Amino acid sequence: MPLLDAAKGIACAVIVGHHLSRYGPMPAGAYTLAPDLFAWLSDQGRLAVQVFLVIAGFLAAASLAPDGMLRVDRPVARILQRYGRLVMPYLAALTVCVLVAAVVRPWLDEEVVPASPTFGQLIAHGLLLQDLLGYESLSTGVWYVAIDFQLFALALALVGLPTLLQRASGASGASGAGGAPLSASARWLPVALVLGLAITSLALFNRNARLDDTAFYFFGTYGLGMLVFWIGRATRFSTWQSALALLVLVGAGALAIDWRSRIATALVTALLLAIAQRRHWLSPPHWPTVAVPLQRLGRMSYSLFLIHFPVLLAMNAAVANAGPHGAWFDAAGLVATFALSVGAAALLYRWVETRQASWRAVFALFAALVISGLVVSH
């Protein structure tokens, strides 16, 4: 689906721009050259995360329950597989960030440089529990990785619950995951559960900042993506139209209760995705050449998201200690930071992210993070 890759590429570039506009002395020096652009990236660039959440929900529904019913024979193994695929590039990037932070700390007197990590902090990050346990992040944006994992596990639990209940009761009907019997009414129950929790999240959980370390805070956006995928499976146009109208009502109701630009962004993304899916634009037969770089950027967007922060730290330290200079020098440093981040992401994508996940690789990368963190903290 090259259109999704292109969308992820644009969204990731905006998120990186958001961080480039906020952290270190370079954006402060270059601000006068384009104050409106820097202000927009600093204030609104974070909204691009909503695009990723909607697309993640869309792909989760396609993978776990394309027809609304769970199509995973071993749910626990699938969750562990998801953990392995997420943390391999994540652990590698965190190790780089810990080492870079240790090198630049004496040269960059900025709060943006993470403090020397503790053993508990390293373990919590490796297990994606850092925010739930109250540890400071070792790199910017790592909260998203933990939330993505929570959302995937929660989505699997929701769509798998009817199958588990049917197995327990021994009812007969259509087949579910692993051949488990499902009644006709149970075929719609997973969709209803996702819809119900999405509405609850949009109306309640997402308005409580104390829950922003949990999947419940973000499930409204993630659920919109899941629902859009299922809406796109409708064979009748009238059914598709009615389901999409219901989705609009859900989003509009949530915004009427409490206007949030992040939810508005998610709703618009979901609607555009629904139209693109219906019109078969996600996999166009003829993809414009000018969009190919965006597609490639989107494919390695996760690696770029993970690795750009240590590059930003290193470049800020280099530019800050380059002697007296003007705003254009800082701007050139920001452009170089983005280019070097893309190069580093290409390496991380090729050598880590695209490798088949294995527990041996996960344990090795986990050990590398812990050992690196302990070495630089002493």
Side-chain angles (χ1 to χ4, degrees), residues 35-60:
D36 292 338
L37 174 61
F38 278 96
W40 182 84
L41 284 172
S42 179
D43 296 336
Q44 306 299 328
R46 58 187 172 81
L47 295 177
V49 172
Q50 305 303 315
V51 177
F52 276 101
L53 288 169
V54 172
I55 292 177
F58 181 90
L59 296 176

Side-chain angles (χ1 to χ4, degrees), residues 16 47-48 53 95 104-105 113 117 131 136 187 231 233 243 276 282 284 289 305 314 325 328 336 346 360 366 373:
V16 173
L47 295 177
L53 288 169
T95 301
V104 306
R105 199 171 291 118
V113 182
D131 295 315
E136 291 187 7
R187 295 172 62 90
I231 289 172
R233 304 280 286 183
L282 298 182
T289 304
F305 180 77
H325 56 268
W328 283 105
R360 177 179 295 181
F366 204 134

Side-chain angles (χ1 to χ4, degrees), residues 6 24 43 68 84 97 119 135 193 209 212 216 221 228 280:
D43 296 336
C97 191
F119 179 75
Y135 286 104
L193 289 173
D212 65 359
F216 297 103
T221 299
V228 161
H280 307 289

Side-chain angles (χ1 to χ4, degrees), residues 247 328 332 377:
L247 197 71
W328 283 105
S377 62

Side-chain angles (χ1 to χ4, degrees), residues 185-196:
S185 60
R187 295 172 62 90
W188 292 99
L189 187 53
V191 178
L193 289 173
V194 170
L195 176 61

Side-chain angles (χ1 to χ4, degrees), residues 313-326:
L313 288 180
M315 285 298 297
N316 265 306
V319 171
N321 291 276
H325 56 268

